[in-house]
Amino acid sequence: MPAGPSLAGPFTTAVTTAVTGNQERLPDVKIKLGVLAVAAPLALVTLTGCSMTSSTDSGDVPSAGTSTSRDAAAEVQKASSRLYDLIGVKGRASEGSPGVQDCGDKDRETYFRIFHKWSFYPASADDLDVAMRNLREGLPKQGWKIVEYGPDSSANKNLTLIADNDGQKAGVHITQMKKRNPPKLSLMLVSGCYQVPDGQQVEHF
C-alpha cells in the first residue's frame, strides 16, 4: 500500500464517481459522509444514502467526531491499506497520500473531511475480476455495507462497487477499468466531517 470516490446507505449516495468516458471530473458531494473535491482533476465520489450525493449542504455531511487532520488522514490511510489487503492478487498500488477537503459551507479552519484516491494495477489484467470478487466478498466481513455493484454509466460500462462503513464513518467507491492502459482499479475513500480539537485549526494538505 502506498504511503502516505436512489440507493440506501449512510454514506453512499455519495460515492457516485464523476468519471465520464475518458474524462474524470470533480463534482460536489453530499455525503452524509463526505466526499472530496480536490483542486486538481481527480475522480470524485459521492457516497449515497444517508450519505453522499452531490450537494454542498453541510447539514447532510455526517459527523466523524473530533480529530486533527493528520490523525484523521492516518486513519483513512489505514482503511486504504485494509482495502489493499482485501484485493488479494499480485500487483502494485499507486503512490499518493490522503488529502483534506472542506465540509460544505462549514468553517474550513474548524471542520474538514479526508479523502484518499489511489489505483491498483494487477500483474495480470485477468486478475481484475478476481480482485473485484475478493472485495465484494471481503468488505462486508470488515463492517462495510455494499450499496451498489454493477456497471457504471460510462461508455465502457466499468464495473463499480460502492460501500459505506458506519463504524469508520467512511465510504468507498471502486471502479474496475479494464479498458485503460494499463488496466486498473480506481479507488476513492472518503471520510465524514471532522472537527478539530478546541484551540486548533485545520491543517490543509
Side-chain angles (χ1 to χ4, degrees):
M1 191 52 234
S6 44
L7 307 169
F11 308 105
T12 35
T13 309
V15 186
T16 28
T17 157
V19 178
T20 51
N22 292 324
Q23 291 185 323
E24 294 181 335
R25 65 184 176 82
L26 279 182
D28 262 335
V29 285
K30 160 184 190 174
I31 69 177
K32 277 184 175 181
L33 235 196
V35 165
L36 100 106
V38 213
L42 303 176
L44 182 64
V45 187
T46 57
L47 302 193
T48 63
C50 189
S51 66
M52 317 183 184
T53 18
S54 57
S55 166
T56 55
D57 183 354
S58 58
D60 290 330
V61 181
S63 171
T66 300
S67 177
T68 65
S69 45
R70 288 288 172 185
D71 287 346
E75 289 304 310
V76 169
Q77 180 76 56
K78 290 176 184 177
S80 285
S81 293
R82 289 190 289 270
L83 293 177
Y84 177 87
D85 292 340
L86 283 177
I87 288 172
V89 300
K90 292 183 179 180
R92 66 177 179 86
S94 62
E95 297 296 328
S97 299
V100 173
Q101 174 62 24
D102 297 349
C103 286
D105 57 3
K106 288 189 174 183
D107 179 4
R108 68 188 307 269
E109 300 305 329
T110 303
Y111 298 92
F112 68 94
R113 298 177 287 192
I114 296 292
F115 67 87
H116 189 202
K117 178 179 170 59
W118 56 282
S119 298
F120 177 81
Y121 301 90
S124 168
D126 293 338
D127 285 339
L128 280 175
D129 288 334
V130 178
M132 288 295 278
R133 183 169 66 247
N134 290 344
L135 287 163
R136 189 181 188 184
E137 294 175 355
L139 283 169
K141 297 175 183 177
Q142 295 191 4
W144 293 87
K145 179 182 178 181
I146 296 174
V147 297
E148 181 173 339
Y149 187 85
D152 65 15
S153 59
S154 71
N156 291 332
K157 301 299 181 184
N158 298 311
L159 181 61
T160 297
L161 185 159
I162 298 172
D164 293 335
N165 191 312
D166 289 339
Q168 295 181 30
K169 294 294 186 292
V172 66
H173 183 283
I174 304 170
T175 304
Q176 182 191 71
M177 297 181 167
K178 280 187 172 181
K179 296 184 179 180
R180 285 295 180 94
N181 186 19
K184 68 175 184 176
L185 295 182
S186 177
L187 300 95
M188 174 73 79
L189 189 72
V190 296
S191 79
C193 184
Y194 286 96
Q195 180 176 355
V196 294
D198 290 344
Q200 298 192 34
Q201 289 189 331
V202 175
E203 181 182 0
H204 295 274
F205 50 83

